[in-house]
């Protein structure tokens, strides 16, 4: 049987070849929940108890996917578990939704596990409520070609001229377009394909969020 003592330590005090922040985070979590021991942690994370112990001791390098599973259990960020210093990039785990699911999103709707295809790691996103969507089609290919992933901040719904947003309507349709204001609100494509036309905004238009990042693979 593995027994261990959880102590609050500074990073400089850690031993082992692969130091991480799991021991400190677990100690803090146990102050709120004394039942969260090594065995329970391993059960919740669906990981081997001996392996978790080796992560805590720094005998093994804590992988990002395992840190992602452990972080919510010990109420810590992935960056804290991986000992990412504040001067280095911050990491955020963002739900990636299928475009079909996204097409049914209103700004006020919550995201369920059914909608989420997987989670993707994003670096140094501004503060917000983030979702990621796969782009389908070429209506925005000058910015985001087919297959690209866009990061949408659902807490940023203030419309700005010539900025890019995901919009939805009461009918459940969604679209990724450039915003043009004035007397008539228009949703413009940003495409190399001239067949795509500007959309006059319907009266039930809603803003899902502002698109702040595009990630695409080079062909």
């Amino acid at each position: 049987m593995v027994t261990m003592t959880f102590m609050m330590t500074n990073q400089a005090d850690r031993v082992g070849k692969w130091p991480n922040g799991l021991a400190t985070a677990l100690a803090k979590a146990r102050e709120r929940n004394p039942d969260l021991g090594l065995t329970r942690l391993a059960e919740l994370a669906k990981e081997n108890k001996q392996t978790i112990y080796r992560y805590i001791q720094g005998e093994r390098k804590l992988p990002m996917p395992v840190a992602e599973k452990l972080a919510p259990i010990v109420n810590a960020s992935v960056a804290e578990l991986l000992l990412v210093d504040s001067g280095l990039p911050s990491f955020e785990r963002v739900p990636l939704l299928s475009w079909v699911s996204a097409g049914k999103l209103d700004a006020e709707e919550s995201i369920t596990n059914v909608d989420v295809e997987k989670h993707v790691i994003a670096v140094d996103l501004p503060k917000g409520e983030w979702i990621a969507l796969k782009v389908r089609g070429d209506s925005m290919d000058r910015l985001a070609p087919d297959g690209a992933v866009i990061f949408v901040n659902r807490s940023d719904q203030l419309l700005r001229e010539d900025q890019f947003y995901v919009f939805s309507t009461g009918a459940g349709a969604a679209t990724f377009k450039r915003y043009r204001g004035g007397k008539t609100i228009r949703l413009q494509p940003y495409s190399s394909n001239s067949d795509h036309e500007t959309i006059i905004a319907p009266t039930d238009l809603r803003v899902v969020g502002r698109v702040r990042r595009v990630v695409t693979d080079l062909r």
Side-chain angles (χ1 to χ4, degrees), residues 86-181:
S86 59
L88 296 177
S90 60
F91 297 86
E92 186 160 350
R93 190 169 180 261
V94 179
L96 175 66
L97 312 185
S98 69
W99 187 252
V100 174
S101 294
K104 298 178 181 178
L105 280 177
D106 287 331
E108 295 81 10
E109 279 189 305
S110 62
I111 300 169
T112 68
N113 289 332
V114 176
D115 300 318
V116 179
E117 285 191 353
K118 63 179 182 178
H119 287 79
V120 292
I121 299 298
V123 179
D124 278 349
L125 286 174
K127 185 177 180 181
E129 181 188 352
W130 293 94
I131 59 173
L133 297 171
K134 288 182 181 178
V135 174
R136 293 186 179 175
D138 62 357
S139 68
M140 297 294 289
D141 66 354
R142 291 175 60 191
L143 177 71
D146 182 62
V149 174
I150 57 175
F151 288 82
V152 184
N153 187 353
R154 299 185 73 185
S155 63
D156 186 353
Q157 298 179 11
L158 178 64
L159 292 172
R160 301 173 178 84
E161 192 74 9
D162 289 329
Q163 296 300 308
F164 301 94
Y165 299 85
V166 172
F167 300 95
S168 72
T169 68
T175 186
F176 165 37
K177 292 292 184 287
R178 180 167 62 173
Y179 169 78
R180 297 301 300 272

